[in-house]
């Protein structure tokens, strides 16, 4: 369903479980950044009312997720800690060339956001299936469903605002690029890396 070209090595879930504090901290910041991305799309592309409505709802939802992850941290006696650089996202955003029309820029941002949500969904599925902590496994199952909805929403908007054939080609090219990134980052103790 997600179309990812390189699935996460299932052993990543073991790395995550052994480093759950780091995973939860990284995850909290991923949710905050997702909310920030939604707000940035509102500010950058105010001429798309349907997109604006969805991004308003998404920013609220993502901050709700941030709160939920923060509560999981506190419940386990951890604190949020400082934000970390997300090498995965930093590499993804280099894929598309800078510039182009506003529509092209929007489509590129939507595709990248969709791919980040797809990878998050896939990682959350692994956590929901493999974590021994059943409460946390259920927590990740619920978030997995949400991330799948976000992924499809971003892809839908990219196809709506861009030319479908070109968007689908760019999506496949981005998926190929992301698979190469994951070869190097696939087993780090972060949500995406």
């Amino acid at each position: 369903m997600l179309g990812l070209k390189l699935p996460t090595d299932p052993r990543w879930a073991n790395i995550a479980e052994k480093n759950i504090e780091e995973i939860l901290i990284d995850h909290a910041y991923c949710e905050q950044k997702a909310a920030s991305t939604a707000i940035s799309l509102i500010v950058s592309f105010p001429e798309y009312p349907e997109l604006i409505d969805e991004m308003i709802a998404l920013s609220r939802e993502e901050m709700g997720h941030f709160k939920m992850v923060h509560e999981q941290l506190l419940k386990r006696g951890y604190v949020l800690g400082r934000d970390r650089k997300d090498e995965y996202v930093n590499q993804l955003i280099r894929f598309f060339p800078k510039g182009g029309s506003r529509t092209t820029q929007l489509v590129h941002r939507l595709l990248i956001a969709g791919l980040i949500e797809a990878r998050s969904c896939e990682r959350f599925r692994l956590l929901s299936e493999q974590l021994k902590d059943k409460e946390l496994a259920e927590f990740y199952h619920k978030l997995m469903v949400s991330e799948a909805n976000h992924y499809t929403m971003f892809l839908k908007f990219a196809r709506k605002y861009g030319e479908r054939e070109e968007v689908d080609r760019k999506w496949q090219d981005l998926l190929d690029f992301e698979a190469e990134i994951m070869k190097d980052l696939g087993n780090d103790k972060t949500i995406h890396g």
Side-chain angles (χ1 to χ4, degrees), residues 54-193:
E54 289 293 331
M55 293 303 104
I56 290 168
L58 181 62
S59 64
R60 287 182 180 148
E61 182 180 347
E62 297 289 18
M63 284 311 295
H65 293 171
F66 174 85
K67 183 179 185 333
M68 291 164 55
V69 178
H70 187 244
E71 289 168 352
Q72 291 291 332
L73 279 162
L74 296 177
K75 186 185 290 188
R76 288 164 173 73
Y78 306 139
V79 295
L80 182 59
R82 297 185 62 84
D83 187 13
R84 286 112 165 139
K85 187 168 83 169
D86 191 329
E87 191 56 38
Y88 171 81
V89 172
N90 288 339
Q91 287 190 40
L92 270 186
I93 60 176
R94 290 188 209 124
F95 179 70
F96 291 118
K98 294 202 185 297
S101 71
R102 285 183 54 72
T103 302
T104 297
Q105 292 173 38
L106 173 60
V107 166
H108 291 171
R109 288 181 63 185
L110 292 168
L111 291 175
I112 289 169
L115 184 48
I116 293 167
E117 296 285 349
R119 182 58 71 182
S120 296
C121 178
E122 187 236 14
R123 291 284 174 108
F124 293 171
R125 181 188 57 78
L126 285 173
L127 293 174
S128 75
E129 293 172 352
Q130 296 187 26
L131 287 177
K132 292 181 184 87
D133 179 333
K134 294 305 170 197
E135 178 192 353
L136 207 51
E138 179 60 28
F139 173 73
Y140 276 107
H141 178 76
K142 289 176 185 171
L143 289 177
M144 173 193 70
V145 173
S146 180
E147 299 300 307
N149 290 332
H150 300 165
Y151 145 73
T152 56
M153 175 192 61
F154 281 119
L155 200 50
K156 175 192 82 166
F157 277 125
R159 288 172 172 154
K160 177 178 180 166
Y161 299 130
E163 192 276 307
R164 174 70 188 249
E165 196 171 295
E166 181 182 7
V167 168
D168 287 347
R169 180 186 51 77
K170 287 180 177 188
W171 176 245
Q172 290 304 313
D173 292 346
L174 183 60
L175 286 168
D176 290 338
F177 180 74
E178 193 261 2
E180 292 301 314
I181 292 171
M182 291 306 291
K183 286 179 183 176
D184 294 330
L185 297 178
N187 285 313
D188 200 0
K189 51 189 175 201
T190 62
I191 290 296
H192 298 119

Side-chain angles (χ1 to χ4, degrees), residues 7-19 123 126-127 130 186-188:
T8 294
D9 183 330
R11 293 175 294 184
W12 172 81
N14 296 328
I15 294 167
E17 188 155 43
K18 290 176 185 162
N19 298 279
R123 291 284 174 108
L126 285 173
L127 293 174
Q130 296 187 26
N187 285 313
D188 200 0

